[in-house]
Amino acid sequence: MRFATYGRKSVYSDKSDSVDNQQKMCRDFVNFKFSDCIDSFECYSDEGFTGANTNRPGLQRLLSDISNDLIDVLVVYQLDRISRDVRDFANIYAILEEKKVMFISIKENIDTTTPIGKAMMYVTMVFAQMERETIAARVTDNMIGLAKKGFWTGGNPPYGYRRERIEVNGKTHVIIVPVPEAAEYVEWIFDTFLQNNYSLNGMETAFKQQGKRTINGAFFSTSQLHKILTMPYCVTATPEVWDFYSSLGCQMADKRDSWDGKYGVMIYGRSTERNKKHQVQEKEKWIVAEGIHKPFISAEKWLMAQKQLKENIFERKKKYDIPLLKGVLRCGKCGRLMQVSRKKYASKVSSYYFCIKRARQGVDFCDMNMINCEILDNKVLDIFKQIKADPSIVLKYAGADKPKNNENILKDLEQRADALQKKIEQLTETLFDLKESSAAKYIIAKIEKEDLNLEALKREIELAKSDIRQNKNAVKTVEERAAEIVRLMSGLEGFSAAEKNQIIKEVVQKCTWDGKTLFLKL
C-alpha cells in the first residue's frame, strides 16, 4: 500500500504540534499498524499556511497525486490539519472517497468506514471551524479596541514614523512616533505637490526629469506618491478632518467635538490581505479614531492635497485602440509588465511596448528596448492562425511535449511480471518436491529474490499506469484549450480592440519578450 501523510502549521514552531512532529507521529503510527504492507511513504506539508482555505502548495500537490491514483492511504495527525473549513474538508473528503483512498486521523481516532465514524468526523470539523472563526473574531475585536484607543495594531509603521513600545496599566502596547528627518521628507512631498498643482502622473514625470528619487534611491512611482499623500496618520485630528472621513462613510469611533487637534488620526481596517497581497477595503469598513501619536501635517494642508487629488482624477475616452498584448506582455529581462507608449510621425501614430522598470529606473536596471506593438501582436495572431489550421500545434505552446505512448511499455512490464509470476510458481512446485533436499535453501533464496523483482515490476506497472492516466488528462486539457482558441479565432475579426485584448488575457497564461524571441504559453 502507498501511504501519504500531510502536516500543516500556521506559524513556524518547534513545539509538539510542529510539522516535523506531526510527520513523525504519522510515520510511527503507520509503521506500527501497517508494517507488513508499506510499499511507499510520502510526506506533504505546508509551513506558515492557514487552514481557512486550500491555497496551499503542499496540499495541492497531495490532491494532485491522489487524483492521479498514486496514494492508497492518507494519514494526518489531526483533522483540522487538512482544513478548518467544513465545506473545503467535505470537498477534499469527496475526492478521497472517489479515489477509494483510506483516510486516518490519529488524534480523533475516527473510523470513516462506518456511518457513525463519518458523522463524528464532520461534527469534529464543525467545531474546528467554529474555533477558527471564534479566534479570528476575538483577534479582530481586540485589534479594533486597540485602534480606538489610538495604539498601533501591527505591521510596518507609516512613512515618517517608527514604532515604540510603551507600558499602560501593566500591559505593553505599541505606538508610532515621528522620525524628524522622515517627517520632513513627507512634508516636502506634500508642499511640492501643492505648490506645483501636480497630478500624480505629472509629479512622477517631473521627479524623474529632475532626478529626484526616494530615500531608497529609486524613482518615484504614482502608487508610492498616492500612498504618501493619502496617508491619514500624519494629519492633525481636527473637526474638519473628522468631516472628511465621515463623508466617505467611514465608521467614526469618536465624537466630532473630541478631535481638538492635539493628536494624529488612527485608522483600522483600511486594507486587508488577500492572496498574500494587501488591498484597500471599502471605506464603509474603515474604523477612524483619534490616535495618541503626534501629527506633523496640518489639517489645512492635508485636506488641500486630498482636494487636489480628487480634482485631477477624471474619466476620459480612449483616443487609440488597445494593443492586443496590453496587460499580458512582460519584459523577458526583468519580468515587469510592459506598458504602451505612442509616438506621432506626421499624420501616423505608432504604438510601442516598453519596459516600465527601464523607464523609471534607467538602463542600468533593465536594458530592454521598445518594440512596435504591431510586430508582436501579429506574431501572436500568426500563432493563433496556425492553431486554427492545426489544433495539435497548441501542444507546443501549452508547456507540454507530445504525450509519450506508454501503452507498449506497460504491456512489456505486464508480460515480464506474468513470466516472473510463473517462474516463482514453478520454483514453488520444485521446492515442494525437493523440500527435504539440500537444494531447498537455494530454491527458497531464488524465490525470495524473484519475489523482490516481481514487487519492483509491480511498482513500475503502477507508475506506468499513472503516466498513461496523466498523459490522457494532459491531452484532454490541451484539446479543450485548442478548441477554445479555435472558437475564439473564428470570430476574432468581429470583435473590438478592447474585446480582442480581453480574449487574449483569458487565453494566454504567459507572454514574454526578451528583445529577440516572443515566448507564449497557453
Side-chain angles (χ1 to χ4, degrees):
M1 297 174 72
R2 296 162 298 179
F3 289 83
T5 179
Y6 177 78
R8 178 186 63 80
K9 183 71 177 170
S10 297
V11 180
Y12 179 78
S13 171
D14 289 325
K15 296 181 181 179
S16 60
D17 56 350
S18 68
V19 168
D20 288 341
N21 280 316
Q22 290 175 45
Q23 302 283 20
K24 182 179 183 302
M25 286 184 281
C26 291
R27 184 180 286 276
D28 290 344
F29 177 87
V30 171
N31 289 334
F32 178 73
K33 290 284 188 179
F34 303 94
S35 58
D36 297 332
C37 55
I38 303 173
D39 291 328
S40 64
F41 193 96
E42 295 291 333
C43 295
Y44 304 80
S45 64
D46 288 303
E47 187 85 50
F49 286 85
T50 177
N53 58 61
T54 60
N55 297 328
R56 292 168 259 155
L59 179 62
Q60 291 303 316
R61 189 165 57 87
L62 168 66
L63 295 177
S64 175
D65 287 351
I66 290 173
S67 298
N68 289 316
D69 298 321
L70 299 178
I71 294 170
D72 298 316
V73 184
L74 173 60
V75 184
V76 297
Y77 166 67
Q78 191 171 331
L79 283 174
D80 63 6
R81 298 304 87 194
I82 290 286
S83 177
R84 283 180 174 267
D85 183 274
V86 174
R87 182 176 58 182
D88 287 341
F89 183 84
N91 291 336
I92 293 171
Y93 188 70
I95 296 173
L96 298 178
E97 283 193 311
E98 179 186 348
K99 293 298 181 179
K100 295 181 172 53
V101 175
M102 184 189 300
F103 178 67
I104 298 172
S105 177
I106 297 174
K107 190 172 182 180
E108 288 85 3
N109 193 25
I110 293 174
D111 181 7
T112 57
T113 60
T114 65
I116 189 65
K118 287 183 182 179
M120 287 302 298
M121 178 180 66
Y122 283 113
V123 168
T124 303
M125 281 308 305
V126 168
F127 279 105
Q129 178 172 331
M130 184 175 69
E131 180 187 14
R132 173 179 63 83
E133 293 174 350
T134 301
I135 292 171
R138 191 181 298 131
V139 170
T140 300
D141 290 343
N142 185 49
M143 291 295 112
I144 291 173
L146 290 173
K148 286 181 177 180
K149 293 178 180 179
F151 296 117
W152 185 248
T153 55
N156 293 325
Y159 289 109
Y161 287 93
R162 62 177 175 82
R163 289 171 295 192
E164 185 175 289
R165 294 184 178 276
I166 62 170
E167 190 170 305
V168 179
N169 297 326
K171 291 185 178 180
T172 300
H173 296 287
V174 177
I175 61 171
I176 52 176
V177 178
V179 178
E181 298 82 3
E184 288 177 10
Y185 161 80
V186 172
E187 190 163 13
W188 166 73
I189 290 177
F190 269 88
D191 290 339
T192 305
F193 178 70
L194 292 170
Q195 290 167 8
N196 295 278
N197 194 30
Y198 281 133
S199 65
L200 289 176
N201 285 326
M203 192 172 188
E204 178 193 37
T205 302
F207 277 7
K208 180 184 172 186
Q209 292 173 345
Q210 297 164 15
K212 295 177 180 177
R213 298 173 180 257
T214 66
I215 291 176
N216 296 325
F219 283 111
F220 282 94
S221 67
T222 53
S223 59
Q224 287 173 312
L225 293 170
H226 182 269
K227 186 175 182 179
I228 292 172
L229 291 169
T230 58
M231 179 175 62
Y233 313 100
C234 61
V235 64
T236 304
T238 66
E240 291 77 19
V241 177
W242 191 99
D243 292 338
F244 173 84
Y245 280 112
S246 178
S247 68
L248 296 178
C250 304
Q251 302 175 43
M252 307 305 294
D254 314 304
K255 291 183 179 181
R256 185 178 185 275
D257 295 342
S258 66
W259 285 35
D260 55 9
K262 292 181 180 179
Y263 301 105
V265 175
M266 182 62 67
I267 293 185
Y268 180 80
R270 192 164 178 248
S271 66
T272 186
E273 186 177 285
R274 294 190 182 101
N275 299 322
K276 302 281 184 178
K277 292 183 179 180
H278 285 279
Q279 298 180 6
V280 176
Q281 291 207 94
E282 300 86 353
K283 294 179 178 63
E284 291 75 13
K285 294 183 178 179
W286 297 8
I287 298 173
V288 184
E290 184 180 32
I292 55 175
H293 60 279
K294 291 182 179 180
F296 52 79
I297 300 290
S298 69
E300 181 183 9
K301 184 184 293 186
W302 189 87
L303 289 170
M304 285 175 62
Q306 309 317 303
K307 182 181 178 183
Q308 187 169 311
L309 285 168
K310 187 176 180 181
E311 288 173 349
N312 286 328
I313 296 174
F314 61 93
E315 294 292 329
R316 64 179 179 182
K317 186 177 179 180
K318 294 187 183 299
K319 189 175 180 180
Y320 304 103
D321 285 341
I322 299 175
L324 192 68
L325 299 178
K326 180 177 171 59
V328 177
L329 182 67
R330 289 188 176 274
C331 174
K333 295 186 177 182
C334 69
R336 296 292 291 273
L337 199 64
M338 296 186 76
Q339 304 297 319
V340 176
S341 68
R342 292 179 174 84
K343 293 186 178 182
K344 191 172 183 179
Y345 303 96
S347 59
K348 183 181 178 182
V349 175
S350 295
S351 300
Y352 294 85
Y353 294 116
F354 71 94
C355 177
I356 191 67
K357 186 170 185 177
R358 171 171 175 162
R360 286 179 173 169
Q361 297 180 252
V363 69
D364 292 339
F365 292 88
C366 182
D367 61 354
M368 173 64 71
N369 292 322
M370 291 193 303
I371 177 73
N372 190 288
C373 292
E374 287 187 15
I375 294 175
L376 297 189
D377 291 355
N378 288 334
K379 281 180 179 288
V380 173
L381 288 174
D382 288 342
I383 291 171
F384 279 19
K385 288 174 183 176
Q386 292 173 27
I387 293 171
K388 184 180 178 182
D390 181 5
S392 66
I393 292 177
V394 78
L395 279 168
K396 179 181 176 181
Y397 300 100
D401 299 323
K402 286 189 176 181
K404 297 177 182 177
N405 184 3
N406 289 328
E407 299 288 349
N408 292 334
I409 296 175
L410 176 62
K411 186 176 180 180
D412 177 64
L413 288 170
E414 289 177 336
Q415 289 175 349
R416 288 166 57 191
D418 288 341
L420 202 52
Q421 182 65 48
K422 290 177 181 178
K423 186 176 181 180
I424 291 173
E425 290 173 357
Q426 291 172 355
L427 286 169
T428 303
E429 291 176 2
T430 303
L431 176 63
F432 182 78
D433 294 335
L434 301 174
K435 57 184 177 181
E436 302 299 332
S437 169
S438 59
K441 62 181 180 180
Y442 299 106
I443 297 173
I444 292 172
K446 184 66 174 176
I447 290 174
E448 290 176 346
K449 181 180 178 182
E450 299 299 356
D451 189 58
L452 289 173
N453 292 335
L454 181 60
E455 288 301 316
L457 272 176
K458 286 180 178 179
R459 178 62 177 168
E460 289 186 54
I461 288 170
E462 288 300 318
L463 291 173
K465 287 180 178 179
S466 175
D467 288 341
I468 291 171
R469 284 191 294 269
Q470 290 180 1
N471 286 339
K472 287 180 178 178
N473 290 335
V475 170
K476 182 179 178 182
T477 302
V478 168
E479 287 174 347
E480 289 173 350
R481 293 191 66 78
E484 178 67 7
I485 292 170
V486 169
R487 183 184 70 80
L488 292 170
M489 282 299 301
S490 299
L492 196 64
E493 296 305 319
F495 291 111
S496 68
E499 289 169 334
K500 290 178 183 178
N501 175 251
Q502 187 58 41
I503 288 171
I504 291 297
K505 288 180 178 179
E506 293 174 2
V507 172
V508 176
Q509 293 186 17
K510 186 177 182 181
C511 183
T512 60
W513 170 250
D514 63 6
K516 294 181 179 179
T517 306
L518 180 71
F519 174 80
L520 192 68
K521 182 178 180 181
L522 303 176

mmCIF file with all atom_site columns, all heavy atoms in Angstrom, residues 236-255:
data_model
loop_
_atom_site.group_PDB
_atom_site.id
_atom_site.type_symbol
_atom_site.label_atom_id
_atom_site.label_alt_id
_atom_site.label_comp_id
_atom_site.label_asym_id
_atom_site.label_entity_id
_atom_site.label_seq_id
_atom_site.pdbx_PDB_ins_code
_atom_site.Cartn_x
_atom_site.Cartn_y
_atom_site.Cartn_z
_atom_site.occupancy
_atom_site.B_iso_or_equiv
_atom_site.pdbx_formal_charge
_atom_site.auth_seq_id
_atom_site.auth_comp_id
_atom_site.auth_asym_id
_atom_site.auth_atom_id
_atom_site.pdbx_PDB_model_num
ATOM 1   N N   . THR A 1 236 ? -3.267  66.283 11.458 1.00 0.00 ? 236 THR A N   1
ATOM 2   C CA  . THR A 1 236 ? -3.836  66.683 12.744 1.00 0.00 ? 236 THR A CA  1
ATOM 3   C C   . THR A 1 236 ? -5.322  66.323 12.792 1.00 0.00 ? 236 THR A C   1
ATOM 4   O O   . THR A 1 236 ? -6.070  66.612 11.863 1.00 0.00 ? 236 THR A O   1
ATOM 5   C CB  . THR A 1 236 ? -3.683  68.206 12.919 1.00 0.00 ? 236 THR A CB  1
ATOM 6   O OG1 . THR A 1 236 ? -2.303  68.547 12.789 1.00 0.00 ? 236 THR A OG1 1
ATOM 7   C CG2 . THR A 1 236 ? -4.177  68.636 14.289 1.00 0.00 ? 236 THR A CG2 1
ATOM 8   N N   . ALA A 1 237 ? -5.734  65.676 13.860 1.00 0.00 ? 237 ALA A N   1
ATOM 9   C CA  . ALA A 1 237 ? -7.134  65.264 14.009 1.00 0.00 ? 237 ALA A CA  1
ATOM 10  C C   . ALA A 1 237 ? -7.978  66.465 14.423 1.00 0.00 ? 237 ALA A C   1
ATOM 11  O O   . ALA A 1 237 ? -8.040  66.829 15.600 1.00 0.00 ? 237 ALA A O   1
ATOM 12  C CB  . ALA A 1 237 ? -7.249  64.138 15.038 1.00 0.00 ? 237 ALA A CB  1
ATOM 13  N N   . THR A 1 238 ? -8.623  67.098 13.454 1.00 0.00 ? 238 THR A N   1
ATOM 14  C CA  . THR A 1 238 ? -9.484  68.262 13.701 1.00 0.00 ? 238 THR A CA  1
ATOM 15  C C   . THR A 1 238 ? -10.910 67.934 13.259 1.00 0.00 ? 238 THR A C   1
ATOM 16  O O   . THR A 1 238 ? -11.127 66.947 12.540 1.00 0.00 ? 238 THR A O   1
ATOM 17  C CB  . THR A 1 238 ? -8.980  69.478 12.897 1.00 0.00 ? 238 THR A CB  1
ATOM 18  O OG1 . THR A 1 238 ? -9.136  69.194 11.487 1.00 0.00 ? 238 THR A OG1 1
ATOM 19  C CG2 . THR A 1 238 ? -7.519  69.779 13.204 1.00 0.00 ? 238 THR A CG2 1
ATOM 20  N N   . PRO A 1 239 ? -11.886 68.751 13.654 1.00 0.00 ? 239 PRO A N   1
ATOM 21  C CA  . PRO A 1 239 ? -13.270 68.510 13.217 1.00 0.00 ? 239 PRO A CA  1
ATOM 22  C C   . PRO A 1 239 ? -13.403 68.461 11.695 1.00 0.00 ? 239 PRO A C   1
ATOM 23  O O   . PRO A 1 239 ? -14.228 67.700 11.167 1.00 0.00 ? 239 PRO A O   1
ATOM 24  C CB  . PRO A 1 239 ? -14.032 69.696 13.810 1.00 0.00 ? 239 PRO A CB  1
ATOM 25  C CG  . PRO A 1 239 ? -13.247 70.061 15.031 1.00 0.00 ? 239 PRO A CG  1
ATOM 26  C CD  . PRO A 1 239 ? -11.818 69.845 14.652 1.00 0.00 ? 239 PRO A CD  1
ATOM 27  N N   . GLU A 1 240 ? -12.603 69.264 10.973 1.00 0.00 ? 240 GLU A N   1
ATOM 28  C CA  . GLU A 1 240 ? -12.678 69.274 9.508  1.00 0.00 ? 240 GLU A CA  1
ATOM 29  C C   . GLU A 1 240 ? -12.219 67.923 8.925  1.00 0.00 ? 240 GLU A C   1
ATOM 30  O O   . GLU A 1 240 ? -12.808 67.423 7.958  1.00 0.00 ? 240 GLU A O   1
ATOM 31  C CB  . GLU A 1 240 ? -11.807 70.399 8.946  1.00 0.00 ? 240 GLU A CB  1
ATOM 32  C CG  . GLU A 1 240 ? -12.315 71.804 9.238  1.00 0.00 ? 240 GLU A CG  1
ATOM 33  C CD  . GLU A 1 240 ? -12.043 72.242 10.665 1.00 0.00 ? 240 GLU A CD  1
ATOM 34  O OE1 . GLU A 1 240 ? -11.153 71.623 11.317 1.00 0.00 ? 240 GLU A OE1 1
ATOM 35  O OE2 . GLU A 1 240 ? -12.708 73.188 11.123 1.00 0.00 ? 240 GLU A OE2 1
ATOM 36  N N   . VAL A 1 241 ? -11.189 67.334 9.514  1.00 0.00 ? 241 VAL A N   1
ATOM 37  C CA  . VAL A 1 241 ? -10.725 66.012 9.053  1.00 0.00 ? 241 VAL A CA  1
ATOM 38  C C   . VAL A 1 241 ? -11.759 64.946 9.426  1.00 0.00 ? 241 VAL A C   1
ATOM 39  O O   . VAL A 1 241 ? -12.007 64.003 8.664  1.00 0.00 ? 241 VAL A O   1
ATOM 40  C CB  . VAL A 1 241 ? -9.340  65.683 9.658  1.00 0.00 ? 241 VAL A CB  1
ATOM 41  C CG1 . VAL A 1 241 ? -8.898  64.283 9.245  1.00 0.00 ? 241 VAL A CG1 1
ATOM 42  C CG2 . VAL A 1 241 ? -8.309  66.713 9.215  1.00 0.00 ? 241 VAL A CG2 1
ATOM 43  N N   . TRP A 1 242 ? -12.385 65.105 10.597 1.00 0.00 ? 242 TRP A N   1
ATOM 44  C CA  . TRP A 1 242 ? -13.471 64.204 11.015 1.00 0.00 ? 242 TRP A CA  1
ATOM 45  C C   . TRP A 1 242 ? -14.577 64.235 9.964  1.00 0.00 ? 242 TRP A C   1
ATOM 46  O O   . TRP A 1 242 ? -15.103 63.187 9.555  1.00 0.00 ? 242 TRP A O   1
ATOM 47  C CB  . TRP A 1 242 ? -14.000 64.636 12.372 1.00 0.00 ? 242 TRP A CB  1
ATOM 48  C CG  . TRP A 1 242 ? -14.932 63.670 13.048 1.00 0.00 ? 242 TRP A CG  1
ATOM 49  C CD1 . TRP A 1 242 ? -14.610 62.774 14.024 1.00 0.00 ? 242 TRP A CD1 1
ATOM 50  C CD2 . TRP A 1 242 ? -16.344 63.508 12.820 1.00 0.00 ? 242 TRP A CD2 1
ATOM 51  N NE1 . TRP A 1 242 ? -15.706 62.061 14.423 1.00 0.00 ? 242 TRP A NE1 1
ATOM 52  C CE2 . TRP A 1 242 ? -16.809 62.496 13.688 1.00 0.00 ? 242 TRP A CE2 1
ATOM 53  C CE3 . TRP A 1 242 ? -17.255 64.120 11.969 1.00 0.00 ? 242 TRP A CE3 1
ATOM 54  C CZ2 . TRP A 1 242 ? -18.129 62.076 13.729 1.00 0.00 ? 242 TRP A CZ2 1
ATOM 55  C CZ3 . TRP A 1 242 ? -18.587 63.701 11.992 1.00 0.00 ? 242 TRP A CZ3 1
ATOM 56  C CH2 . TRP A 1 242 ? -19.010 62.701 12.865 1.00 0.00 ? 242 TRP A CH2 1
ATOM 57  N N   . ASP A 1 243 ? -14.946 65.428 9.514  1.00 0.00 ? 243 ASP A N   1
ATOM 58  C CA  . ASP A 1 243 ? -15.992 65.580 8.497  1.00 0.00 ? 243 ASP A CA  1
ATOM 59  C C   . ASP A 1 243 ? -15.598 64.898 7.187  1.00 0.00 ? 243 ASP A C   1
ATOM 60  O O   . ASP A 1 243 ? -16.441 64.286 6.509  1.00 0.00 ? 243 ASP A O   1
ATOM 61  C CB  . ASP A 1 243 ? -16.263 67.067 8.226  1.00 0.00 ? 243 ASP A CB  1
ATOM 62  C CG  . ASP A 1 243 ? -16.904 67.773 9.413  1.00 0.00 ? 243 ASP A CG  1
ATOM 63  O OD1 . ASP A 1 243 ? -17.506 67.076 10.253 1.00 0.00 ? 243 ASP A OD1 1
ATOM 64  O OD2 . ASP A 1 243 ? -16.791 69.010 9.492  1.00 0.00 ? 243 ASP A OD2 1
ATOM 65  N N   . PHE A 1 244 ? -14.309 64.990 6.837  1.00 0.00 ? 244 PHE A N   1
ATOM 66  C CA  . PHE A 1 244 ? -13.826 64.383 5.585  1.00 0.00 ? 244 PHE A CA  1
ATOM 67  C C   . PHE A 1 244 ? -14.061 62.869 5.604  1.00 0.00 ? 244 PHE A C   1
ATOM 68  O O   . PHE A 1 244 ? -14.625 62.304 4.653  1.00 0.00 ? 244 PHE A O   1
ATOM 69  C CB  . PHE A 1 244 ? -12.337 64.692 5.402  1.00 0.00 ? 244 PHE A CB  1
ATOM 70  C CG  . PHE A 1 244 ? -11.707 63.969 4.242  1.00 0.00 ? 244 PHE A CG  1
ATOM 71  C CD1 . PHE A 1 244 ? -11.804 64.486 2.964  1.00 0.00 ? 244 PHE A CD1 1
ATOM 72  C CD2 . PHE A 1 244 ? -11.027 62.773 4.437  1.00 0.00 ? 244 PHE A CD2 1
ATOM 73  C CE1 . PHE A 1 244 ? -11.220 63.812 1.891  1.00 0.00 ? 244 PHE A CE1 1
ATOM 74  C CE2 . PHE A 1 244 ? -10.451 62.094 3.371  1.00 0.00 ? 244 PHE A CE2 1
ATOM 75  C CZ  . PHE A 1 244 ? -10.553 62.622 2.093  1.00 0.00 ? 244 PHE A CZ  1
ATOM 76  N N   . TYR A 1 245 ? -13.636 62.212 6.696  1.00 0.00 ? 245 TYR A N   1
ATOM 77  C CA  . TYR A 1 245 ? -13.793 60.753 6.761  1.00 0.00 ? 245 TYR A CA  1
ATOM 78  C C   . TYR A 1 245 ? -15.252 60.349 6.962  1.00 0.00 ? 245 TYR A C   1
ATOM 79  O O   . TYR A 1 245 ? -15.692 59.324 6.436  1.00 0.00 ? 245 TYR A O   1
ATOM 80  C CB  . TYR A 1 245 ? -12.907 60.178 7.867  1.00 0.00 ? 245 TYR A CB  1
ATOM 81  C CG  . TYR A 1 245 ? -11.472 60.039 7.441  1.00 0.00 ? 245 TYR A CG  1
ATOM 82  C CD1 . TYR A 1 245 ? -10.475 60.840 8.003  1.00 0.00 ? 245 TYR A CD1 1
ATOM 83  C CD2 . TYR A 1 245 ? -11.098 59.133 6.468  1.00 0.00 ? 245 TYR A CD2 1
ATOM 84  C CE1 . TYR A 1 245 ? -9.156  60.731 7.596  1.00 0.00 ? 245 TYR A CE1 1
ATOM 85  C CE2 . TYR A 1 245 ? -9.786  59.011 6.056  1.00 0.00 ? 245 TYR A CE2 1
ATOM 86  C CZ  . TYR A 1 245 ? -8.821  59.809 6.616  1.00 0.00 ? 245 TYR A CZ  1
ATOM 87  O OH  . TYR A 1 245 ? -7.515  59.697 6.189  1.00 0.00 ? 245 TYR A OH  1
ATOM 88  N N   . SER A 1 246 ? -16.000 61.155 7.686  1.00 0.00 ? 246 SER A N   1
ATOM 89  C CA  . SER A 1 246 ? -17.412 60.867 7.878  1.00 0.00 ? 246 SER A CA  1
ATOM 90  C C   . SER A 1 246 ? -18.168 60.918 6.547  1.00 0.00 ? 246 SER A C   1
ATOM 91  O O   . SER A 1 246 ? -19.040 60.085 6.283  1.00 0.00 ? 246 SER A O   1
ATOM 92  C CB  . SER A 1 246 ? -18.030 61.859 8.868  1.00 0.00 ? 246 SER A CB  1
ATOM 93  O OG  . SER A 1 246 ? -19.412 61.610 9.031  1.00 0.00 ? 246 SER A OG  1
ATOM 94  N N   . SER A 1 247 ? -17.795 61.858 5.676  1.00 0.00 ? 247 SER A N   1
ATOM 95  C CA  . SER A 1 247 ? -18.449 61.985 4.376  1.00 0.00 ? 247 SER A CA  1
ATOM 96  C C   . SER A 1 247 ? -18.151 60.808 3.454  1.00 0.00 ? 247 SER A C   1
ATOM 97  O O   . SER A 1 247 ? -18.900 60.532 2.516  1.00 0.00 ? 247 SER A O   1
ATOM 98  C CB  . SER A 1 247 ? -18.014 63.296 3.701  1.00 0.00 ? 247 SER A CB  1
ATOM 99  O OG  . SER A 1 247 ? -16.638 63.235 3.346  1.00 0.00 ? 247 SER A OG  1
ATOM 100 N N   . LEU A 1 248 ? -17.058 60.122 3.720  1.00 0.00 ? 248 LEU A N   1
ATOM 101 C CA  . LEU A 1 248 ? -16.708 58.936 2.925  1.00 0.00 ? 248 LEU A CA  1
ATOM 102 C C   . LEU A 1 248 ? -17.494 57.705 3.361  1.00 0.00 ? 248 LEU A C   1
ATOM 103 O O   . LEU A 1 248 ? -17.440 56.664 2.706  1.00 0.00 ? 248 LEU A O   1
ATOM 104 C CB  . LEU A 1 248 ? -15.206 58.641 3.044  1.00 0.00 ? 248 LEU A CB  1
ATOM 105 C CG  . LEU A 1 248 ? -14.245 59.697 2.495  1.00 0.00 ? 248 LEU A CG  1
ATOM 106 C CD1 . LEU A 1 248 ? -12.802 59.257 2.737  1.00 0.00 ? 248 LEU A CD1 1
ATOM 107 C CD2 . LEU A 1 248 ? -14.477 59.943 1.016  1.00 0.00 ? 248 LEU A CD2 1
ATOM 108 N N   . GLY A 1 249 ? -18.214 57.808 4.497  1.00 0.00 ? 249 GLY A N   1
ATOM 109 C CA  . GLY A 1 249 ? -18.980 56.677 5.013  1.00 0.00 ? 249 GLY A CA  1
ATOM 110 C C   . GLY A 1 249 ? -18.222 55.812 5.986  1.00 0.00 ? 249 GLY A C   1
ATOM 111 O O   . GLY A 1 249 ? -18.651 54.699 6.302  1.00 0.00 ? 249 GLY A O   1
ATOM 112 N N   . CYS A 1 250 ? -17.072 56.306 6.489  1.00 0.00 ? 250 CYS A N   1
ATOM 113 C CA  . CYS A 1 250 ? -16.273 55.529 7.440  1.00 0.00 ? 250 CYS A CA  1
ATOM 114 C C   . CYS A 1 250 ? -16.977 55.445 8.790  1.00 0.00 ? 250 CYS A C   1
ATOM 115 O O   . CYS A 1 250 ? -17.834 56.267 9.130  1.00 0.00 ? 250 CYS A O   1
ATOM 116 C CB  . CYS A 1 250 ? -14.899 56.166 7.632  1.00 0.00 ? 250 CYS A CB  1
ATOM 117 S SG  . CYS A 1 250 ? -13.968 56.379 6.116  1.00 0.00 ? 250 CYS A SG  1
ATOM 118 N N   . GLN A 1 251 ? -16.602 54.437 9.584  1.00 0.00 ? 251 GLN A N   1
ATOM 119 C CA  . GLN A 1 251 ? -17.122 54.295 10.940 1.00 0.00 ? 251 GLN A CA  1
ATOM 120 C C   . GLN A 1 251 ? -16.287 55.176 11.873 1.00 0.00 ? 251 GLN A C   1
ATOM 121 O O   . GLN A 1 251 ? -15.107 54.915 12.070 1.00 0.00 ? 251 GLN A O   1
ATOM 122 C CB  . GLN A 1 251 ? -17.045 52.832 11.389 1.00 0.00 ? 251 GLN A CB  1
ATOM 123 C CG  . GLN A 1 251 ? -17.791 51.857 10.485 1.00 0.00 ? 251 GLN A CG  1
ATOM 124 C CD  . GLN A 1 251 ? -17.586 50.419 10.915 1.00 0.00 ? 251 GLN A CD  1
ATOM 125 O OE1 . GLN A 1 251 ? -17.631 50.088 12.111 1.00 0.00 ? 251 GLN A OE1 1
ATOM 126 N NE2 . GLN A 1 251 ? -17.358 49.539 9.948  1.00 0.00 ? 251 GLN A NE2 1
ATOM 127 N N   . MET A 1 252 ? -16.903 56.185 12.422 1.00 0.00 ? 252 MET A N   1
ATOM 128 C CA  . MET A 1 252 ? -16.187 57.135 13.276 1.00 0.00 ? 252 MET A CA  1
ATOM 129 C C   . MET A 1 252 ? -16.274 56.668 14.731 1.00 0.00 ? 252 MET A C   1
ATOM 130 O O   . MET A 1 252 ? -17.362 56.533 15.293 1.00 0.00 ? 252 MET A O   1
ATOM 131 C CB  . MET A 1 252 ? -16.765 58.537 13.125 1.00 0.00 ? 252 MET A CB  1
ATOM 132 C CG  . MET A 1 252 ? -16.845 59.002 11.675 1.00 0.00 ? 252 MET A CG  1
ATOM 133 S SD  . MET A 1 252 ? -15.249 58.933 10.799 1.00 0.00 ? 252 MET A SD  1
ATOM 134 C CE  . MET A 1 252 ? -14.312 60.184 11.703 1.00 0.00 ? 252 MET A CE  1
ATOM 135 N N   . ALA A 1 253 ? -15.112 56.409 15.322 1.00 0.00 ? 253 ALA A N   1
ATOM 136 C CA  . ALA A 1 253 ? -15.074 55.865 16.680 1.00 0.00 ? 253 ALA A CA  1
ATOM 137 C C   . ALA A 1 253 ? -15.283 56.931 17.753 1.00 0.00 ? 253 ALA A C   1
ATOM 138 O O   . ALA A 1 253 ? -15.659 56.616 18.884 1.00 0.00 ? 253 ALA A O   1
ATOM 139 C CB  . ALA A 1 253 ? -13.740 55.164 16.920 1.00 0.00 ? 253 ALA A CB  1
ATOM 140 N N   . ASP A 1 254 ? -15.049 58.202 17.411 1.00 0.00 ? 254 ASP A N   1
ATOM 141 C CA  . ASP A 1 254 ? -15.139 59.290 18.385 1.00 0.00 ? 254 ASP A CA  1
ATOM 142 C C   . ASP A 1 254 ? -16.198 60.316 17.937 1.00 0.00 ? 254 ASP A C   1
ATOM 143 O O   . ASP A 1 254 ? -16.592 60.363 16.773 1.00 0.00 ? 254 ASP A O   1
ATOM 144 C CB  . ASP A 1 254 ? -13.793 60.009 18.533 1.00 0.00 ? 254 ASP A CB  1
ATOM 145 C CG  . ASP A 1 254 ? -12.634 59.049 18.671 1.00 0.00 ? 254 ASP A CG  1
ATOM 146 O OD1 . ASP A 1 254 ? -12.694 58.216 19.586 1.00 0.00 ? 254 ASP A OD1 1
ATOM 147 O OD2 . ASP A 1 254 ? -11.685 59.129 17.863 1.00 0.00 ? 254 ASP A OD2 1
ATOM 148 N N   . LYS A 1 255 ? -16.606 61.142 18.898 1.00 0.00 ? 255 LYS A N   1
ATOM 149 C CA  . LYS A 1 255 ? -17.489 62.253 18.555 1.00 0.00 ? 255 LYS A CA  1
ATOM 150 C C   . LYS A 1 255 ? -16.665 63.363 17.909 1.00 0.00 ? 255 LYS A C   1
ATOM 151 O O   . LYS A 1 255 ? -15.482 63.535 18.189 1.00 0.00 ? 255 LYS A O   1
ATOM 152 C CB  . LYS A 1 255 ? -18.185 62.772 19.808 1.00 0.00 ? 255 LYS A CB  1
ATOM 153 C CG  . LYS A 1 255 ? -19.203 61.778 20.391 1.00 0.00 ? 255 LYS A CG  1
ATOM 154 C CD  . LYS A 1 255 ? -19.909 62.369 21.595 1.00 0.00 ? 255 LYS A CD  1
ATOM 155 C CE  . LYS A 1 255 ? -20.935 61.377 22.148 1.00 0.00 ? 255 LYS A CE  1
ATOM 156 N NZ  . LYS A 1 255 ? -21.662 61.932 23.319 1.00 0.00 ? 255 LYS A NZ  1
#
